[in-house]
Amino acid sequence: MSTTPSVLFVCVKNGGKSQMAAGLMRAAAGDLVEVHSAGTKPGTAVNALSAESLREVGIDISAQTPQPIDPALLASVDLVVTLGREAHVDPVEGVRILNWDTDEPSERGIDGIERMRLVRDDIAARVNDLLTELTTPTEQRTHP
């Protein structure tokens, strides 16, 4: 049994937010966390602006392809993180599910690469917090 924590990031198309989260986690965690991403209704390609916004911080997700949720993988990960309001994953026994209701700048009239930078930065902050949680031994965590 692996002691490496595993996370599955899920959005609807698996072309934007979940790919961004996975890329950011891989870059931040290296081998400390097993990282996967999938979509509830996967599209056909990674969102070009998502990829561009990550290239700006030295992360390349352009070779990734949207994937459907693999039930075996879903049942084997430690944590599922859904991104946005539209992606839903049915509960699986023994698997914690979190929802990150990520910033949506388009609701404020912000679009294009500026929108993706804001989404990226929101997801990056959440990924960094999650990385700390996943890699801090339980006995060292502080609870409010």
Side-chain angles (χ1 to χ4, degrees):
M1 182 172 169
S2 174
T3 58
T4 303
S6 56
V7 62
L8 171 62
F9 293 104
V10 176
C11 67
V12 174
K13 292 185 180 179
N14 190 224
K17 293 176 181 178
S18 59
Q19 292 283 1
M20 292 174 80
L24 288 160
M25 180 62 84
R26 285 184 189 107
D31 293 337
L32 296 177
V33 177
E34 183 182 312
V35 181
H36 307 276
S37 72
T40 57
K41 296 178 184 172
T44 57
V46 169
N47 179 290
L49 290 175
S50 294
E52 181 181 339
S53 75
L54 286 185
R55 274 193 304 274
E56 292 177 347
V57 295
I59 300 168
D60 184 5
I61 62 167
S62 63
Q64 300 297 318
T65 56
Q67 301 293 318
I69 297 172
D70 176 345
L73 176 64
L74 178 62
S76 71
V77 296
D78 298 309
L79 174 65
V80 173
V81 178
T82 58
L83 291 101
R85 299 175 191 141
E86 297 169 4
H88 299 281
V89 175
D90 290 333
V92 175
E93 187 174 339
V95 178
R96 186 168 61 127
I97 299 176
L98 295 177
N99 176 260
W100 290 349
D101 189 2
T102 52
D103 182 35
E104 189 41 73
S106 62
E107 294 174 353
R108 301 187 305 276
I110 302 169
D111 290 308
I113 191 65
E114 183 181 358
R115 171 184 173 258
M116 280 303 161
R117 287 176 182 139
L118 292 169
V119 170
R120 174 199 65 206
D121 294 347
D122 177 45
I123 293 172
R126 293 168 188 260
V127 161
N128 288 332
D129 289 346
L130 180 59
L131 176 58
T132 299
E133 176 188 328
L134 292 174
T135 58
T136 300
T138 305
E139 61 274 4
Q140 292 181 11
R141 293 183 194 162
T142 58
H143 298 281

